[in-house]
Amino acid sequence: MAAENLHELFVNELRDIYDAEKQLTKALPKLARAANSEELRAAFEEHLEVTRAQIGRLEEVFKLLGMAARGKPCEGMKGLIEEGEEVMEEMEGSTLDAALIASAQKVEHYEIATYGTLATFAEVLEMQDAKDLLGQTLEEEKEADEKLTAIASQINPAAETEDQEEGEEEGRMVAAGARSIRGGSSSGGRKNSGGSRSKKR
Ligand code: FE
Ligand code: ZN
Ligand code: FE
């Protein structure tokens, strides 16, 4: 009985991530186009290829189950992608890149959670081949996340300087204001830095 329930849950999660990965094959080229950093652009393009291979692996898992590969709309990934698209419209430069990385890491963590769950379920269900396939993808998602962390360590300081320069362009008073706010909390405070963060058009 319990195995039957877990089996159904396993199939549900599999369909969820199958759809999520397909959504990503459409979103990653947009992220790549939006990125300013060559390294970030290359990372998104590389992850697109990795994602295509992951879809192939999911299809193998469906085959092991004796089922047709079929997705069910993943609302979680849809929301994460929509948030990423908002960022593209609202930001630019290194700040945009920092925001793209933040969005992409949320995606990677969603995937890490799902593949971790799926690999565990496969193990409990004694589907060793499926577990190996899902575990392989889990490792790739972790690598992608770590790579983004490494790129962020270069981009975040650039985004910090960019904000300062923009403030100076717009006037010393505003720049001084932005600096004093920057001394406060690292993320929440920046929301209130007013004029210095207004969009350039
Ligand atoms: Fe993936
Ligand atoms: Zn989902
Ligand atoms: Fe991924």
Side-chain angles (χ1 to χ4, degrees):
M1 283 296 262
E4 262 182 39
N5 285 336
L6 196 72
H7 188 273
E8 282 177 18
L9 200 53
F10 179 72
V11 172
N12 278 347
E13 289 295 329
L14 204 60
R15 286 182 171 152
D16 179 274
I17 199 69
Y18 187 62
D19 180 76
E21 296 284 20
K22 288 199 159 181
Q23 289 185 47
L24 277 175
T25 59
K26 291 179 191 138
L28 281 164
K30 293 184 201 167
L31 289 171
R33 272 197 299 276
N36 291 285
S37 149
E38 261 321 304
E39 203 185 350
L40 183 58
R41 184 191 308 263
F44 286 143
E45 280 167 359
E46 189 197 318
H47 200 60
L48 175 61
E49 292 314 308
V50 170
T51 298
R52 290 196 175 116
Q54 292 173 345
I55 289 172
R57 246 177 246 137
L58 288 171
E59 287 166 352
E60 281 184 61
V61 175
F62 279 112
K63 204 178 271 178
L64 288 169
L65 287 163
M67 300 175 88
R70 185 158 62 85
K72 93 173 160 55
C74 175
E75 296 299 332
M77 188 59 71
K78 188 166 167 255
L80 290 173
I81 290 171
E82 277 169 8
E83 286 190 3
E85 282 169 352
E86 272 174 43
V87 151
M88 288 182 217
E89 286 166 24
E90 290 169 358
M91 299 178 198
E92 60 184 14
S94 297
T95 307
L96 169 63
D97 281 358
L100 292 175
I101 291 172
S103 293
Q105 287 194 286
K106 288 179 191 182
V107 165
E108 293 314 317
H109 282 246
Y110 183 97
E111 293 182 299
I112 288 165
T114 306
Y115 281 109
T117 298
L118 281 167
T120 303
F121 283 180
E123 186 169 22
V124 175
L125 294 168
E126 295 181 346
M127 297 179 59
Q128 188 59 45
D129 290 349
K131 195 211 159 197
D132 291 345
L133 288 163
L134 296 162
Q136 212 177 323
T137 297
L138 176 61
E139 289 313 308
E140 286 177 353
E141 307 293 20
K142 287 180 185 169
E143 278 168 30
D145 181 54
E146 281 164 19
K147 188 166 187 182
L148 288 166
T149 298
I151 298 172
S153 71
Q154 297 173 328
I155 284 171
N156 290 344
E160 171 67 16
T161 314
E162 186 172 73
D163 187 37
Q164 213 163 350
E165 281 165 2
E166 199 177 316
E168 279 158 14
E169 276 166 29
E170 289 172 20
R172 294 169 81 173
M173 295 290 283
V174 174
R179 264 194 293 277
S180 71
I181 283 158
R182 200 174 296 124
S185 82
S186 61
S187 56
R190 298 180 69 118
K191 246 185 175 159
N192 302 318
S193 58
S196 70
R197 289 189 77 252
S198 68
K199 279 189 271 180
K200 280 189 279 188
R201 288 195 183 270

